[in-house]
Amino acid sequence: MKVDTVWRNARLATMANGDLGIVEQGAVACVGGIIAYAGPADDAPAFDAARSIDCEQRWITPGLIDCHTHLVFAGDRAREFELRLAGASYEEIARAGGGILSTMKATRAASHDELIAGALPRLDALIAEGVTTVEVKSGYGLTIQSERAMLRAARQLAGERQVEVVTTFLGAHALPPEFAGDPDGYITLVCDVMLPMVAEEGLADAVDVFCEGIGFSADQTSRVFAAAAACGLPMKVHAEQLSNQQGAALAARHHALSADHLEHVDAAGIAAMAASGTVATLLPGAFYFTRETMLPPVAALRDARVPIAIATDCNPGTSPLTSPLLAMNMAATLFRLTVDECLRGMTVNAARALGRQAEIGTLEAGKRCDLAIWNVGHPAELVYRMGFNPLHARIWSGQ
Ligand code: DI6
Ligand code: FE
């Protein structure tokens, strides 16, 4: 078989077949950036490879996928962090005009180049730990111009680095000051003006809503979902992070790709997600950083066979985290996910949360050749260690 590159003498965690899909003596070959073979070396065809790489028994996983980030923003919230350490709650700060709105002010004032320059160090941190696909949300502009600027900056990141960027319109992230006291009026702007513009200009691959007491109600969320469906865009939702607004059940009814956070999700929400195939995206960085105490019901999600993804939720307010490895360690240590669930949560299930499971997330023929090659004795080390990066090499689209 004529191939561009073969990676041989490797141990594979393919993430195929519902577990880690381990192949002890494996090989991966690619042609034109697409995996042509991934499996046991003994079963591989004879490769006529332009490039043959001896992996010296290193482990290869699919490239990691961070399926929930707010990577593009300006400013920081370090001062607010100090206030929270002094006892102010996230909600108190948000209601006092801090929080998302303080990042909104800085983001509206930033130029396109400034948004790019601010996001690149955060993107580079993710790439350094083997991320090959990253989801980036808008939601700090909250006007047509500024939401458009955020999404354009997110799209531009894919031109600055060898990475896939999947964008999500999160205009319904917070109520902008121009609509103070009129959330329904703002949701009308989101549905009737922003969303059609975003869809028309191809700026977003999905739509998200912050369904929460300090965000938007289930009714307002439902309006955005209906408008997204009318624009042909899939949905996601920040749901049950601080309270139970029935956001997950609503998302499932709309066949959303994912419902994210879920600390306060109930049995009805879980059953609805199981029925619709909506992915549960858990965000341990936000749980840890806000010192949340309500754990997401992992055992109930597991029992209902709801696919679980993990992401950094990189954002300046509740999760200034740019380490997918630490996110996995937190998901295991804080949420009691297993090693297999953590690794699948950052690969195959994260791909599903983005609706990209046909193209990425496992080491299987036909998928894009995104690889992370690790200096570890077993994949469990990727979840076990804290603050150590054992990445040996990262391959994106065969390069
Ligand atoms: N939930 C969160 O934790 C982030 N957004 C959301 O809907 C917080 C974003 C921020 O505080 O800047
Ligand atoms: Fe988020």
Side-chain angles (χ1 to χ4, degrees), residues 71 114-128 157 161 322:
L71 213 60
E114 286 166 338
L115 290 177
I116 297 287
L120 280 177
R122 295 187 282 267
L123 178 59
D124 287 339
L126 298 179
I127 287 173
L157 292 175
R161 297 290 186 270
T322 48

Side-chain angles (χ1 to χ4, degrees), residues 75-351:
D76 70 69
R77 304 257 286 282
R79 181 72 190 94
E80 176 183 314
F81 175 62
E82 288 183 281
L83 294 175
R84 285 234 301 283
L85 289 177
S89 77
Y90 180 73
E91 288 176 277
E92 284 162 352
I93 291 169
R95 293 192 195 285
I100 293 173
L101 296 187
S102 72
T103 300
M104 176 203 74
K105 292 184 194 99
T107 302
R108 284 181 176 181
S111 68
H112 176 79
D113 290 349
E114 286 166 338
L115 290 177
I116 297 287
L120 280 177
R122 295 187 282 267
L123 178 59
D124 287 339
L126 298 179
I127 287 173
E129 290 194 4
V131 168
T132 47
T133 298
V134 59
E135 184 257 14
V136 182
K137 304 175 190 289
S138 68
Y140 289 116
L142 310 181
T143 63
I144 303 163
Q145 299 78 4
S146 195
E147 286 295 306
R148 176 192 278 125
M150 286 194 73
L151 291 168
R152 282 181 173 167
R155 282 269 193 254
Q156 174 69 30
L157 292 175
E160 301 291 328
R161 297 290 186 270
Q162 290 210 323
V163 68
E164 178 182 22
V165 175
V166 178
T167 60
T168 300
F169 169 64
L170 176 60
H173 192 198
L175 189 63
E178 300 84 7
F179 283 86
D182 181 16
D184 284 323
Y186 179 62
I187 291 298
T188 299
L189 178 72
V190 168
C191 296
D192 296 356
V193 180
M194 288 186 182
L195 246 170
M197 175 277 290
V198 162
E200 173 71 25
E201 298 182 19
L203 290 174
D205 303 303
V207 178
D208 192 347
V209 179
F210 183 26
C211 182
E212 187 53 73
I214 58 170
F216 296 93
S217 68
D219 287 348
Q220 290 156 353
T221 300
S222 191
R223 288 179 58 199
V224 176
F225 282 175
C231 292
L233 288 172
M235 287 142 266
K236 307 165 114 351
V237 68
H238 286 65
E240 278 69 279
Q241 178 182 5
L242 306 171
S243 64
N244 187 341
Q245 305 286 330
Q246 298 295 304
L250 176 67
R253 282 200 298 278
H254 284 79
H255 299 287
L257 293 173
S258 72
D260 301 26
H261 284 290
L262 298 179
E263 280 83 351
H264 293 262
V265 71
D266 59 17
I270 292 171
M273 289 175 68
S276 69
T278 299
V279 173
T281 300
L282 303 184
L283 305 169
F287 175 93
Y288 164 82
F289 195 72
T290 58
R291 301 197 306 282
E292 175 60 64
T293 54
M294 173 70 92
L295 285 166
V298 165
L301 289 164
R302 186 183 288 137
D303 293 347
R305 306 178 69 76
V306 173
I308 295 174
I310 298 166
T312 62
D313 191 16
C314 176
N315 76 76
T318 64
S319 189
L321 173 66
T322 48
S323 170
L325 295 173
L326 183 53
M328 288 196 288
N329 176 274
M330 288 178 172
T333 305
L334 299 174
F335 291 173
R336 317 309 296 159
L337 264 67
T338 66
V339 163
D340 286 21
E341 286 169 337
C342 289
L343 291 167
R344 290 177 58 79
M346 269 286 174
T347 53
V348 58
N349 288 345

